[in-house]
Amino acid sequence: MRNRPPTIGEYLLNKLESYNIGHIFGIPGDYVLRFYKLIEESSIQHIGMTREDAAGYAADAYARTNGMGVVCITYCVGGLSTVNAIAGAYAEKSPVVVISGAPGINERGKDALLHHKVKDFHTQLRIYDEITVATELLDEPFTAFNEIDNVLDAVFQYKRPGYIELPRDMVDVRGTLYRRASTGEHKSDTDSLNAAVRDAVKFINQSKNPVILAGVELHRFGFQDKLLKIVEEKQIPVVATLLGKSVMPEAHPLYLGIYEGAMGRREITEFVERSDCVIILGAFMTDVNLGIYTANLDRSRSIYATSEKISIQYHSYDDVMFEDFIDLLNSDKLRKQKKPNLSWIKPESKPFEVQPKKSITVKRFFQHLNTFITDEMSVIADVGDSLFGAAELRIPQHTNFISPAYYTSMGFAVPASIGTQLSVPNTRPLVIVGDGAFQMTGTELSTTVRYGLNPIVVILNNQGYGTERHLLEGTFNDIGCWNYSSLPTLFTAGHGFHVRTEGEFDEAMKAALDETEQFIIIEVELEKLDRSPALARLAERMAEEI
Amino acid sequence: MRNRPPTIGEYLLNKLESYNIGHIFGIPGDYVLRFYKLIEESSIQHIGMTREDAAGYAADAYARTNGMGVVCITYCVGGLSTVNAIAGAYAEKSPVVVISGAPGINERGKDALLHHKVKDFHTQLRIYDEITVATELLDEPFTAFNEIDNVLDAVFQYKRPGYIELPRDMVDVRGTLYRRASTGEHKSDTDSLNAAVRDAVKFINQSKNPVILAGVELHRFGFQDKLLKIVEEKQIPVVATLLGKSVMPEAHPLYLGIYEGAMGRREITEFVERSDCVIILGAFMTDVNLGIYTANLDRSRSIYATSEKISIQYHSYDDVMFEDFIDLLNSDKLRKQKKPNLSWIKPESKPFEVQPKKSITVKRFFQHLNTFITDEMSVIADVGDSLFGAAELRIPQHTNFISPAYYTSMGFAVPASIGTQLSVPNTRPLVIVGDGAFQMTGTELSTTVRYGLNPIVVILNNQGYGTERHLLEGTFNDIGCWNYSSLPTLFTAGHGFHVRTEGEFDEAMKAALDETEQFIIIEVELEKLDRSPALARLAERMAEEI
């Protein structure tokens, strides 16, 4: 007897396993219960969060570290609650698969007013068309397997979210296995590739002080080692965008720091903008990422290579794959640079001295925090000064810094820490989050308790939406006052600290590092209008547009 | 000198005031800060919530009681976080206006990668097209005022959400006042109207036991008094849909209870389904609303009148306005019914006796709670057994029961209580919410503290997604364990109770009624698999579809 083909639900789970998916984040609901039962019976673990959007952020962070992430929710009340999280994953190129339950095909007759429906049965699908690279409704057994392949291939290739809608009466239907016609492999055109590499090598070899600007795609495509190899073999110094942060081990002698135009450290801005050859790899020209367009990078002295475009000065090259370009660029023909003098760029590294009685300031807080960061930590920064200040942290291991630096959606960090730690279990998350952002999703600490995770969550409490106060102040920037360090009472687990001075923070961090079994929350009380030097520079620029 | 026209921002706020808007719910962000400043300077109060979706739920509840509600958020990170709340408002016909800030028109050149952007500058607008009746981008001073009018008129007329996108550089631009061409008033065709009313009167007069089935539109259009008048003058008994609950004062002798097919009380189902003339007013034939399609209402013995359709038995009538139809129906020609015998339908009203040591069961909990409900309370039920059980509560004042009974989005109730109390300040919200739903949005209690509100929040804790356990059980229905009654410590206000017995609940409710200055939280510990009689009937039916 021949083997029967799998059911649509089984096929989907098998494919996800082949993409290294070990966890699926989400909240069940009646339209997706049948598929949830299948997950429970599979080798993939379901991670129940408290809210669907938080499940989306967790899946996004998981995708950034694992190569793909999955969120699974019910129809509309679930799917429409993850829209913002998935939009953020689209904007920042994170390969997240959304699986939504849906009313059965056989229930859909006569425009029935089934619960959770909005305008018609395709409302949610059309909305996901706006924020994903591929959407499929699995309403037909003959095509379902190919449709699953289409979405997963697109997510993997473009590093953007995709959407699969699974009507509940299709979960257990057996699909049809057949070899579909190949859509053609994505390959470079050899002549274009050779021309691009030849021109790039020539341009770099003729330059006096080349520098690499490394961006987010190096994370997404897993090219961190390719970058490190070219940097070390050719002795080219490297800076990162904010979204690309931690693409290099940041203690590396050739890594200089974050380049973000007028918003960043003056020495780095100067070094990059005086370079006669800026090699931009996998970076997108976004506003916050590049200091609200204060970056000064003109095409006459740039090489620009991403998965979407390859250009050298004013020439663009079609049909050149990003990976092939990087691989061939690091050839014998590319000369090794003379050891550049970089000492003037690096920040003074005199050791931070704790002043125990001194009230904590944002600037010194990040210097202080830097002393605690180890190889075994993933740093996850929420938006606002949690992000701007964190730009100066030195992350020792690559890909151990995660933040929504372009889409900048508040409330990302606490749920993201869950996805990160499940994906990279040998690290401990260090979350930096403002009070306003924490109020949005901080109750996900409850989820860390359920699954035995142990993040250290530092809340920078400046009593409201701090970044906005520096743009336009009003009572609307105020928020409610929470006793954050009491949260362990609510969740009946964890430890809480409330600190005002450097000495208190020092002790709290040391206690946090000693307590490895559960979450730690450290509320850092700040002056309402204190801010990082980066935010001061940013706010000045942004306030002009308000 | 002639008066100058107002700015676009001023015009929008003035129009909102003319629709009785006293509060705007939302979270600021840089793209909407300028408009927030205008709100602060106006007579409208901004209500800052902790999350945008919660602001959406609050605006929805405010709209249900006030006639219109407004949520104001920033671009994408805010607007895409309110999608689910606004989809729910669409599904349940709640007139909510969404105002979103956006990048300035002058910033949008060259497909700039401004922060918060997803695919292109119109992503959010297209998404809102799917979940509103009208969308406008105010990018042109000459047309902006008309566009504002268009959205507000459509929201008011159709009782569905509308969307206004306000680029930040247009807020202070002066618009152009001119009288637009009238789009024509919505009026009944006199002959059609007369025919419909004549046929309806004849049908009712010939019937032996007519009954009115009252639905949600009577709330939305403010026709509660028209309903009461016809019921009292013609002595026609009345039942409500779940979404229509509290459309009548529920102690009224002619009010029988909720009709929801096989899910509801047997006597009511029998009475309605044996009637030879069911007058359906403003009700939609949705699934949960009508007991998962177990309602048995055939057209041969129905009059069906809503804002979207008027039909009598098999005849439909075009161009007949819902309001005109109701007004004319209650004419001298419609005969007064003989006093019907309804005593067998009404539940036995023997007084509830507290058994102090008895563990609380869902069934007795709702009977017990019923004894505490007064004219001065608004009851707000979240989904699941909070809703199914609450169907049996007797609400004395009309429109004092609010729930998402069709769209059934978890987490609606706590934020909705804020919108309700601000709209109807002389009532006190009594919130009934499950533990799973509370974990989604319960931290909005913080917002009640900020604005001096005093809801009583009863959490029915059955340790997970209780409704789903009765459909398909699995570990995915479990949730984290919270010490809910400790929340006053987190918010440094309120009082918390944790009760297991009827005696403890009785004492907690009495204490809650004595403490009128702040929120009260009462965690009711239930058996994991206990459920209301209605849920037992519903689950049996729904489990067939899983």
Side-chain angles (χ1 to χ4, degrees):
Chain A
M1 200 178 95
R2 291 195 309 172
N3 284 337
R4 287 193 301 175
T7 65
I8 295 174
E10 288 165 354
Y11 184 86
L12 176 54
L13 285 172
N14 289 342
K15 283 293 282 194
L16 292 175
E17 282 172 358
S18 77
Y19 279 105
N20 199 31
I21 295 297
H23 303 82
I24 290 181
F25 302 86
I27 315 265
D30 64 331
Y31 290 124
V32 79
L33 274 180
R34 184 68 207 110
F35 186 64
Y36 259 77
K37 197 72 192 171
L38 272 193
I39 297 173
E40 193 178 51
E41 292 159 3
S42 78
S43 69
I44 296 178
Q45 188 184 3
H46 163 247
I47 303 295
M49 313 280 290
T50 74
R51 302 176 41 91
E52 284 93 351
D53 60 343
Y57 296 134
D60 178 345
Y62 190 92
R64 291 176 194 215
T65 40
N66 181 63
M68 189 180 284
V70 181
V71 56
C72 179
I73 39 52
T74 193
Y75 190 58
C76 288
V77 291
L80 298 184
S81 292
T82 50
V83 167
N84 184 58
I86 301 308
Y90 185 93
E92 299 189 350
K93 298 204 120 183
S94 181
V96 179
V97 179
V98 180
I99 299 171
S100 178
I105 297 301
N106 289 325
E107 301 170 73
R108 298 189 180 200
K110 290 187 280 184
D111 201 31
L113 287 176
L114 301 184
H115 60 289
H116 304 340
K117 203 181 73 162
V118 190
K119 277 193 182 176
D120 63 43
F121 284 112
H122 295 114
T123 298
Q124 178 167 303
L125 190 75
R126 288 194 301 269
I127 286 175
Y128 272 93
D129 271 338
E130 301 293 340
I131 54 175
T132 59
V133 284
T135 59
E136 295 283 6
L137 167 63
L138 306 183
D139 58 352
E140 167 57 73
F142 190 69
T143 54
F145 293 174
N146 275 356
E147 287 162 351
I148 290 168
D149 292 353
N150 286 347
V151 172
L152 299 185
D153 288 355
V155 168
F156 187 76
Q157 182 186 342
Y158 297 108
K159 311 301 179 196
R160 306 261 201 195
Y163 173 80
I164 293 172
E165 188 169 314
L166 179 53
R168 59 179 169 182
D169 58 0
M170 301 301 286
V171 175
D172 294 328
V173 171
R174 292 187 188 279
T176 305
L177 284 169
Y178 71 100
R179 191 171 298 276
R180 63 178 169 149
S182 168
T183 53
E185 275 186 82
H186 295 269
K187 277 187 168 172
S188 293
D189 175 276
T190 311
D191 293 339
S192 285
L193 174 62
N194 290 336
V197 171
R198 185 190 62 224
D199 294 353
V201 167
K202 185 175 168 195
F203 182 37
I204 300 169
N205 285 346
Q206 286 175 349
S207 70
K208 289 203 187 76
N209 43 10
V211 59
I212 292 172
L213 172 56
V216 65
E217 279 200 343
L218 301 175
H219 285 295
R220 298 298 187 264
F221 288 91
F223 296 166
Q224 299 95 341
D225 289 338
K226 294 181 194 290
L227 172 69
L228 189 62
K229 195 157 175 280
I230 201 167
V231 166
E232 294 197 328
E233 290 182 9
K234 307 303 178 185
Q235 291 286 303
I236 304 175
V238 60
V239 295
T241 63
L242 200 46
L243 204 53
K245 182 171 170 65
S246 81
V247 67
M248 284 278 292
E250 299 191 346
H252 195 283
L254 287 165
Y255 176 74
L256 304 179
I258 302 293
Y259 171 67
E260 43 186 345
M263 196 175 127
R265 275 202 302 118
R266 191 183 50 76
E267 295 83 356
I268 293 176
T269 306
E270 205 168 287
F271 183 80
V272 173
E273 298 187 358
R274 281 187 190 167
S275 162
D276 57 352
C277 178
V278 184
I279 307 160
I280 303 170
L281 297 180
F284 290 92
M285 303 289 111
T286 66
D287 63 346
V288 172
N289 212 5
L290 289 180
I292 309 296
Y293 294 124
T294 55
N296 196 358
L297 299 172
D298 73 66
R299 286 189 70 169
S300 69
R301 45 193 189 80
S302 300
I303 292 171
Y304 181 77
T306 70
S307 69
E308 297 174 11
K309 188 182 174 72
I310 306 275
S311 66
I312 295 163
Q313 294 177 298
Y314 298 98
H315 304 150
S316 290
Y317 302 80
D318 294 334
D319 302 319
V320 177
M321 297 292 108
F322 185 33
E323 181 166 16
D324 295 337
F325 180 78
I326 293 189
D327 285 342
L328 268 67
L329 186 64
N330 192 18
S331 70
D332 292 346
K333 289 181 182 146
L334 186 66
R335 72 172 168 83
K336 185 170 169 178
Q337 302 292 313
K338 275 175 245 155
K339 195 174 168 61
N341 171 20
L342 304 172
S343 58
W344 64 281
I345 299 167
K346 298 243 176 178
E348 295 173 72
S349 60
K350 65 178 174 194
F352 181 81
E353 274 180 41
V354 178
Q355 298 179 28
K357 299 288 180 199
K358 190 173 159 64
S359 294
I360 297 170
T361 64
V362 175
K363 182 176 176 178
R364 281 181 58 84
F365 164 78
F366 280 101
Q367 292 168 348
H368 193 172
L369 190 63
N370 224 351
T371 65
F372 289 103
I373 291 174
T374 66
D375 279 12
E376 289 73 36
M377 275 182 195
S378 290
V379 177
I380 300 155
D382 216 283
V383 307
D385 236 352
S386 300
L387 172 62
F388 306 134
E392 295 295 321
L393 294 178
R394 200 171 53 250
I395 308 297
Q397 284 277 63
H398 79 61
T399 325
N400 275 352
F401 182 83
I402 292 189
S403 84
Y406 164 53
Y407 191 63
T408 53
S409 190
M410 288 173 70
F412 174 87
V414 174
S417 76
I418 293 166
T420 303
Q421 194 169 16
L422 289 168
S423 165
V424 197
N426 58 345
T427 64
R428 185 173 192 183
L430 173 65
V431 174
I432 309 162
V433 54
D435 50 335
F438 185 86
Q439 291 194 4
M440 292 185 168
T441 56
T443 51
E444 288 304 328
L445 284 175
S446 156
T447 306
T448 70
V449 178
R450 284 185 74 188
Y451 297 100
L453 309 177
N454 63 351
I456 300 169
V457 177
V458 180
I459 301 177
L460 299 180
N461 184 359
N462 55 8
Q463 304 160 57
Y465 303 126
T467 302
E468 288 170 21
R469 289 198 199 282
H470 298 288
L471 305 177
L472 186 63
E473 177 58 314
T475 54
F476 41 79
N477 292 326
D478 299 337
I479 66 172
C481 173
W482 290 16
N483 180 7
Y484 300 97
S485 58
S486 79
L487 277 164
T489 308
L490 179 61
F491 302 129
T492 60
H495 281 297
F497 299 88
H498 177 182
V499 303
R500 290 181 190 82
T501 65
E502 293 187 359
E504 288 166 357
F505 178 66
D506 205 63
E507 281 174 33
M509 274 304 290
K510 284 171 182 159
L513 295 172
D514 281 345
E515 168 55 89
T516 57
E517 294 302 309
Q518 41 192 345
F519 79 79
I520 304 290
I521 195 160
I522 304 175
E523 176 189 348
V524 176
E525 198 175 310
L526 296 169
E527 285 295 314
K528 198 164 156 181
L529 294 177
D530 188 23
R531 56 182 172 177
S532 70
L535 176 55
R537 293 187 290 261
L538 176 81
E540 194 180 324
R541 185 67 60 150
M542 285 181 83
E544 292 169 11
E545 299 284 354
I546 297 298
Chain B
M1 202 178 95
R2 292 194 307 171
N3 283 339
R4 288 195 297 177
T7 65
I8 294 173
E10 288 165 353
Y11 183 86
L12 177 53
L13 285 172
N14 289 341
K15 283 293 282 192
L16 292 175
E17 283 173 358
S18 77
Y19 279 104
N20 199 31
I21 295 297
H23 305 82
I24 290 180
F25 302 86
I27 314 266
D30 64 331
Y31 290 125
V32 78
L33 274 180
R34 182 68 206 111
F35 186 64
Y36 259 77
K37 198 72 192 172
L38 271 193
I39 298 173
E40 192 177 53
E41 292 159 2
S42 80
S43 68
I44 297 177
Q45 188 185 0
H46 163 248
I47 303 295
M49 313 281 288
T50 74
R51 303 177 40 92
E52 284 93 351
D53 61 343
Y57 296 134
D60 178 344
Y62 190 92
R64 290 175 193 216
T65 41
N66 181 64
M68 189 180 282
V70 181
V71 55
C72 180
I73 38 50
T74 194
Y75 190 58
C76 287
V77 290
L80 298 184
S81 293
T82 51
V83 167
N84 183 58
I86 300 308
Y90 185 93
E92 299 190 348
K93 298 204 115 181
S94 181
V96 178
V97 179
V98 180
I99 300 171
S100 177
I105 298 301
N106 289 324
E107 301 169 70
R108 298 190 179 198
K110 288 187 278 185
D111 200 32
L113 288 176
L114 301 183
H115 59 290
H116 304 340
K117 202 178 72 159
V118 190
K119 277 195 183 175
D120 63 43
F121 284 111
H122 294 115
T123 298
Q124 177 166 304
L125 190 76
R126 288 193 302 268
I127 286 176
Y128 272 93
D129 272 337
E130 300 293 340
I131 54 172
T132 60
V133 286
T135 59
E136 295 282 8
L137 167 64
L138 307 183
D139 57 352
E140 168 57 75
F142 189 69
T143 55
F145 294 174
N146 276 354
E147 288 163 351
I148 290 169
D149 292 354
N150 287 346
V151 172
L152 299 185
D153 288 355
V155 168
F156 187 75
Q157 184 187 340
Y158 297 108
K159 312 301 180 194
R160 304 263 200 194
Y163 173 82
I164 293 172
E165 187 168 315
L166 180 52
R168 60 180 168 181
D169 57 2
M170 301 300 285
V171 175
D172 294 329
V173 171
R174 291 186 188 280
T176 305
L177 285 168
Y178 71 100
R179 190 170 298 274
R180 63 178 168 149
S182 167
T183 53
E185 274 184 83
H186 296 268
K187 275 188 170 170
S188 292
D189 176 273
T190 312
D191 295 337
S192 284
L193 174 63
N194 290 337
V197 170
R198 186 191 61 223
D199 295 352
V201 167
K202 186 176 167 195
F203 182 36
I204 299 170
N205 286 347
Q206 287 175 348
S207 70
K208 290 202 188 80
N209 44 8
V211 60
I212 292 172
L213 172 57
V216 64
E217 280 200 343
L218 301 175
H219 285 295
R220 299 298 187 263
F221 288 91
F223 295 166
Q224 299 93 342
D225 290 338
K226 293 182 197 290
L227 172 68
L228 187 62
K229 196 156 173 282
I230 201 167
V231 166
E232 294 197 327
E233 290 182 9
K234 307 303 179 187
Q235 291 287 302
I236 304 174
V238 60
V239 295
T241 62
L242 200 47
L243 204 54
K245 183 170 168 63
S246 82
V247 66
M248 285 278 291
E250 299 191 344
H252 195 284
L254 287 164
Y255 175 74
L256 303 180
I258 302 293
Y259 171 68
E260 41 187 345
M263 193 175 131
R265 274 201 303 118
R266 191 182 49 78
E267 295 84 358
I268 294 176
T269 305
E270 206 169 286
F271 183 82
V272 173
E273 299 188 356
R274 281 188 189 167
S275 162
D276 57 351
C277 179
V278 184
I279 308 161
I280 303 169
L281 297 180
F284 290 92
M285 302 291 110
T286 65
D287 63 347
V288 173
N289 212 7
L290 288 181
I292 310 295
Y293 292 126
T294 56
N296 194 359
L297 298 171
D298 73 68
R299 286 189 70 172
S300 68
R301 45 193 188 82
S302 301
I303 292 172
Y304 181 78
T306 70
S307 69
E308 297 174 10
K309 186 179 175 72
I310 307 275
S311 65
I312 296 162
Q313 293 176 296
Y314 299 99
H315 303 150
S316 291
Y317 302 81
D318 295 334
D319 302 318
V320 177
M321 296 292 108
F322 185 34
E323 181 166 16
D324 295 338
F325 179 78
I326 293 189
D327 286 342
L328 268 66
L329 186 63
N330 193 18
S331 70
D332 293 344
K333 289 181 183 148
L334 186 65
R335 72 172 167 85
K336 187 172 168 179
Q337 302 291 315
K338 276 174 246 158
K339 197 174 167 63
N341 171 20
L342 303 172
S343 56
W344 64 281
I345 301 167
K346 298 240 176 177
E348 294 172 70
S349 61
K350 64 178 176 195
F352 181 82
E353 273 179 45
V354 177
Q355 297 179 27
K357 300 288 180 198
K358 191 175 158 62
S359 293
I360 298 170
T361 63
V362 175
K363 183 177 177 180
R364 282 181 59 84
F365 164 77
F366 281 102
Q367 292 168 348
H368 193 172
L369 190 63
N370 224 352
T371 66
F372 290 104
I373 292 174
T374 67
D375 279 14
E376 289 74 35
M377 275 183 195
S378 291
V379 177
I380 299 152
D382 216 284
V383 308
D385 236 355
S386 302
L387 172 62
F388 306 134
E392 296 296 318
L393 295 178
R394 199 171 54 249
I395 308 297
Q397 285 277 62
H398 80 60
T399 325
N400 274 352
F401 181 82
I402 291 187
S403 84
Y406 165 52
Y407 191 63
T408 53
S409 190
M410 288 173 70
F412 175 86
V414 174
S417 76
I418 293 166
T420 304
Q421 195 169 18
L422 289 167
S423 167
V424 197
N426 59 345
T427 64
R428 185 174 191 183
L430 173 65
V431 174
I432 309 162
V433 55
D435 50 334
F438 186 87
Q439 290 195 4
M440 291 185 169
T441 56
T443 50
E444 287 305 326
L445 285 175
S446 154
T447 307
T448 71
V449 178
R450 285 184 72 187
Y451 296 100
L453 308 176
N454 62 352
I456 299 170
V457 177
V458 180
I459 301 178
L460 298 181
N461 184 359
N462 55 7
Q463 306 161 57
Y465 302 127
T467 303
E468 288 169 20
R469 289 198 199 283
H470 299 287
L471 305 177
L472 187 62
E473 176 59 314
T475 54
F476 40 79
N477 292 325
D478 299 336
I479 66 173
C481 173
W482 290 16
N483 180 6
Y484 300 97
S485 60
S486 78
L487 277 163
T489 309
L490 178 62
F491 302 131
T492 61
H495 281 298
F497 300 89
H498 177 183
V499 303
R500 290 181 191 81
T501 65
E502 294 187 358
E504 287 167 358
F505 178 65
D506 206 63
E507 282 174 32
M509 273 304 290
K510 284 171 181 158
L513 295 172
D514 281 345
E515 168 56 271
T516 58
E517 294 301 310
Q518 44 190 342
F519 79 79
I520 305 291
I521 196 159
I522 303 176
E523 175 188 350
V524 177
E525 198 175 309
L526 296 170
E527 285 295 314
K528 198 164 157 181
L529 293 177
D530 189 22
R531 55 183 173 176
S532 70
L535 176 54
R537 294 186 290 261
L538 176 81
E540 195 180 323
R541 186 67 61 150
M542 286 182 83
E544 294 168 11
E545 299 283 355
I546 297 299

